[in-house]
Amino acid sequence: MKRKNNLQTILLISLAMSATLCNALPLSTRGRWIVDNAAGGRVKMACVNWVSHLEPLVTEGIHAQPVERIAETVKAMGFNCIRLTYATFMWTRADYNNRTVAQSLDSFNLTQAKEGIAGNNPKLLNLQIIDAYEAVVNELGAHGLMLVLDNHVSKPLWCCAREDGNGFFGDMYFDPKEWIKGLTEVATRFKNNPQVVALSMRNEMRGPRSNVPDWYRYMRKGAKAIHKANPKVLVIVSGLNFDKDLSFLGRKPFGLTLNKKVVFEAHWYTFDFTQQWQQLPPNRACGQRADEFQRDAAFLTTGDKAAPLFISEYGINLEETSQVDSRYFTCFLPTVAEKDLDWALWTLQASYHYRQGHAGGGESYSVLDYSWSKPRYPQFLERMVILQNLIQDPKSNVSPYYLLLHAQSGFCVNVKHNDVVSVSSCRKNRRNSRWNHEGDGSPIKKLGRKHCLKAVGDGVPLTLSDDCSSPRATWQLVSDSMLQIAAMDEQGNPLCLDATPSSNSTPIWTRACACLNNEAGCDPLSQWFKLVPSNIA
Ligand SMILES: *[C@@H]1O[C@H](CO)[C@@H](O)[C@H](O)[C@H]1NC(C)=O
Ligand SMILES: *[C@@H]1O[C@H](CO)[C@@H](O)[C@H](O)[C@H]1NC(C)=O
């Protein structure tokens, strides 16, 4: 599917590029945060996935654009990091790594990919595949991007089927010794490249062999091996059941901190939860999924053993977004913004040299268009801005305040010069989008002023008022999602914040709260808002 793109938006995005690109590397952990080694300030990983583990073992997209162009496009889209996948066999088996890029493509009859690489990345074509992988990593690093190198599979192939021989220790292709050898090779190879900030241990462990005792046994061994070979790099520890389950760590801690290098990772898609999203009313489905995510993974960021959590995959079909994906993503965004987790979006690659027996296929989850030269859906990237921003920093001495996020648009509620309350891009007017709120039943005050949000009526724009004690100006979280924010009129009818942004600056209304009783068929998404705690100057 081809769509038009808006060049102006791309330019705007490039101007707004995040400042987190020049960090003092390497990174370490400090409680639940990833921090730089020098000043100990937060470094937020806002990554995008990029595939390099499929059968030909050639990084996707290098036939379409020079690597440096792709790096610049990634930065212009607001990401500061790439989770680049690889397959273990590339490092451990001569019959996989004894080929050049050209030879490998030839063996799959990928003539067009080969011609494309000859045109766009001629230097890579006759390198051995490991050297080509390293050259791509170095080029991305030279452009200031941080890299997470992800052990995605052992045998190069599309991931992840339950029983594809790559799922768990002891599976046909997943020999723990060979896996540790691979991890050690990668850790050693990139020891002197500070832009390689993290190695993740294994993507989506799964299948009938999965069990908790072996998980501890081998994951500890693997983590120690990486740390020994490369003590500077973060070690990202993945869970069970397609990386959705880390709950067992609540009963028995991992037991290694590796001098403040251990980070955990989890995935959060709609897969396996489609029925939940289809059948439950949206407020209930979101409330449940957020609770489950907390129970299965995000709990790791709390308590006295808190560690960072990296959501290493999440995303939606952007080409044809289903109702399920739309609900999921509108739930995901505020839930993750509130915790300000680190993450990697699925995905960058717009196409595949060769995937599941097919050459040149497209990727409907990709943020890029098929030419790999520009964003395909600028509006989706606008929704990513809140997550790309640094929201919380443990070293900040700014008093905490709230951003008020409209989840469906990804826009923030802010105040214009003439006190008009509207929603617009979270990248602008940050001073005008700061709020104070002392909890349920209290007003939402503009930071530094005595004025607060006041509901006027159903379908009427919200105002900024100095009458902050009225029931119309005291707000509480309602509904099973806790994402609707309501005040009462004199008759006790709840009025919820509501917006349907059509342009980059849309007034915000209150409307009768939708779906409070989970009525069949009703849709509250335009009323999903989140008070997101922040402390950034
Ligand atoms: C790589 O090794 C395999 C298995 O030994 C062999 O069949 C193949 O010809 C080799 N390829 C190259 C390019 O040397
Ligand atoms: C490549 O083409 C040759 C000749 O047409 C064919 O025998 C072979 O199976 C093809 N290989 C792949 C991986 O498609």
Side-chain angles (χ1 to χ4, degrees):
M1 187 185 301
K2 294 266 151 62
R3 294 186 196 190
K4 289 201 181 122
N5 286 281
N6 183 339
L7 249 177
Q8 238 176 342
T9 314
I10 302 167
L11 289 175
L12 274 177
I13 292 169
S14 347
L15 290 175
M17 250 184 50
S18 114
T20 56
L21 288 173
C22 33
N23 301 308
L25 303 173
L27 304 177
S28 293
T29 68
R30 181 170 134 171
R32 60 151 296 193
W33 305 109
I34 295 170
V35 298
D36 71 54
N37 248 17
R42 169 114 192 262
V43 174
K44 179 166 178 175
M45 300 181 63
C47 315
V48 64
N49 279 276
W50 188 352
V51 157
S52 196
H53 70 270
L54 295 184
E55 285 89 340
L57 292 171
V58 175
T59 307
E60 308 299 342
I62 63 172
H63 68 292
Q65 297 293 331
V67 174
E68 56 268 31
R69 280 277 307 274
I70 302 175
E72 288 305 320
T73 307
V74 167
K75 284 158 58 182
M77 291 190 292
F79 303 99
N80 62 10
C81 145
I82 285 171
R83 179 179 183 248
L84 189 68
T85 65
Y86 70 86
T88 298
F89 289 1
M90 177 165 93
W91 301 95
T92 56
R93 298 200 181 188
D95 51 343
Y96 284 82
N97 63 26
N98 64 352
R99 296 168 286 166
T100 64
V101 167
Q103 284 165 339
S104 181
L105 294 169
D106 280 343
S107 71
F108 291 91
N109 299 333
L110 300 173
T111 322
Q112 279 188 344
K114 194 172 138 185
E115 282 167 7
I117 295 172
N120 282 303
N121 289 288
K123 280 186 290 195
L124 299 181
L125 193 60
N126 294 310
L127 294 182
Q128 297 288 118
I129 52 170
I130 289 183
D131 297 331
Y133 185 85
E134 183 174 25
V136 169
V137 168
N138 289 344
E139 187 67 44
L140 297 174
H143 285 260
L145 289 163
M146 298 186 285
L147 284 125
V148 176
L149 305 185
D150 171 59
N151 178 229
H152 212 70
V153 285
S154 294
K155 183 181 164 69
L157 47 68
W158 178 251
C159 190
C160 301
R162 234 178 96 76
E163 301 189 36
D164 61 8
N166 286 276
F168 198 73
F169 305 107
D171 280 1
M172 183 182 297
Y173 305 114
F174 196 169
D175 167 37
K177 281 211 184 86
E178 182 171 17
W179 170 70
I180 288 174
K181 181 162 185 280
L183 294 176
T184 307
E185 289 286 326
V186 178
T188 307
R189 183 85 168 205
F190 294 101
K191 198 164 62 172
N192 298 318
N193 185 342
Q195 295 300 128
V196 175
V197 295
L199 301 188
S200 56
M201 295 184 66
R202 184 65 165 199
N203 186 64
E204 299 199 353
M205 275 179 282
R206 61 194 175 274
R209 280 200 175 72
S210 300
N211 70 85
V212 169
D214 279 354
W215 184 92
Y216 281 98
R217 180 167 165 220
Y218 294 120
M219 293 301 272
R220 283 174 174 165
K221 275 192 183 172
K224 281 185 198 162
I226 292 173
H227 189 65
K228 188 166 170 225
N230 183 342
K232 289 182 188 158
V233 82
L234 295 174
V235 178
I236 305 186
V237 179
S238 47
L240 292 170
N241 192 17
F242 296 85
D243 211 1
K244 288 177 299 197
D245 184 15
L246 293 147
S247 60
F248 49 90
L249 286 161
R251 299 184 284 279
K252 177 180 172 184
F254 188 49
L256 296 176
T257 57
L258 305 177
N259 197 20
K260 300 188 176 158
K261 297 296 183 183
V262 173
V263 172
F264 295 96
E265 70 172 300
H267 293 180
W268 188 359
Y269 287 111
T270 54
F271 314 143
D272 299 339
F273 304 104
T274 310
Q275 277 201 340
Q276 208 173 346
W277 283 108
Q278 263 165 358
Q279 290 171 2
L280 294 179
N283 277 326
R284 187 166 294 162
C286 177
Q288 272 188 17
R289 284 299 299 127
D291 287 350
E292 286 160 1
F293 182 70
Q294 182 67 25
R295 180 198 66 198
D296 294 340
F299 76 91
L300 288 164
T301 63
T302 61
D304 54 352
K305 290 208 170 59
L309 179 68
F310 177 55
I311 305 183
S312 51
E313 288 186 23
Y314 69 95
I316 56 174
N317 182 334
L318 294 166
E319 212 166 78
E320 287 175 66
T321 304
S322 65
Q323 187 185 59
V324 162
D325 267 356
S326 158
R327 289 177 178 177
Y328 144 75
F329 197 74
T330 309
C331 176
F332 175 92
L333 206 61
T335 310
V336 172
E338 181 188 32
K339 301 181 198 307
D340 200 14
L341 299 172
D342 300 272
W343 49 264
L345 176 73
W346 189 269
T347 193
L348 183 70
Q349 71 277 353
S351 61
Y352 297 95
H353 303 309
Y354 185 86
R355 168 180 158 185
Q356 293 171 298
H358 181 61
E363 170 57 83
S364 57
Y365 281 57
S366 173
V367 290
L368 288 180
D369 81 343
Y370 198 75
S371 72
W372 285 72
S373 63
K374 53 187 185 299
R376 204 161 43 150
Y377 306 111
Q379 224 178 341
F380 177 74
L381 290 174
E382 195 56 55
R383 291 182 84 183
M384 297 296 307
V385 168
I386 182 74
L387 295 187
Q388 290 171 334
N389 287 339
L390 188 64
I391 305 173
Q392 295 173 40
D393 183 348
K395 286 279 269 194
S396 168
N397 48 20
V398 171
S399 308
Y401 57 86
Y402 287 104
L403 300 167
L404 183 46
L405 173 70
H406 180 244
Q408 202 176 32
S409 57
F411 284 176
C412 288
V413 176
N414 65 37
V415 179
K416 301 267 166 203
H417 295 307
N418 46 3
D419 277 4
V420 173
V421 184
S422 63
V423 288
S424 59
S425 170
C426 293
R427 76 176 86 238
K428 288 176 222 143
N429 299 332
R430 285 201 76 175
R431 284 194 176 279
N432 287 327
S433 18
R434 297 179 185 180
W435 304 92
N436 266 332
H437 179 60
E438 316 248 295
D440 267 1
S442 71
I444 299 176
K445 283 191 176 165
K446 185 168 183 312
L447 192 73
R449 289 191 41 193
K450 59 181 196 286
H451 294 76
C452 58
L453 296 179
K454 185 175 178 188
V456 179
D458 184 358
V460 181
L462 196 66
T463 59
L464 204 60
S465 162
D466 59 5
D467 170 23
C468 295
S469 56
S470 155
R472 288 175 178 271
T474 53
W475 300 87
Q476 51 191 321
L477 307 184
V478 295
S479 86
D480 287 349
S481 63
M482 299 299 268
L483 291 175
Q484 282 164 277
I485 304 181
M488 299 287 174
D489 69 11
E490 286 68 20
Q491 285 73 47
N493 301 313
L495 293 166
C496 276
L497 300 181
D498 194 321
T500 313
S502 50
S503 65
N504 196 19
S505 181
T506 309
I508 161 170
W509 293 275
T510 45
R511 291 192 191 279
C513 295
C515 319
L516 290 190
N517 299 310
N518 293 314
E519 297 84 347
C522 94
D523 179 3
L525 264 62
S526 66
Q527 297 189 348
W528 282 2
F529 285 79
K530 186 82 183 183
L531 285 156
V532 175
S534 183
N535 67 352
I536 305 301

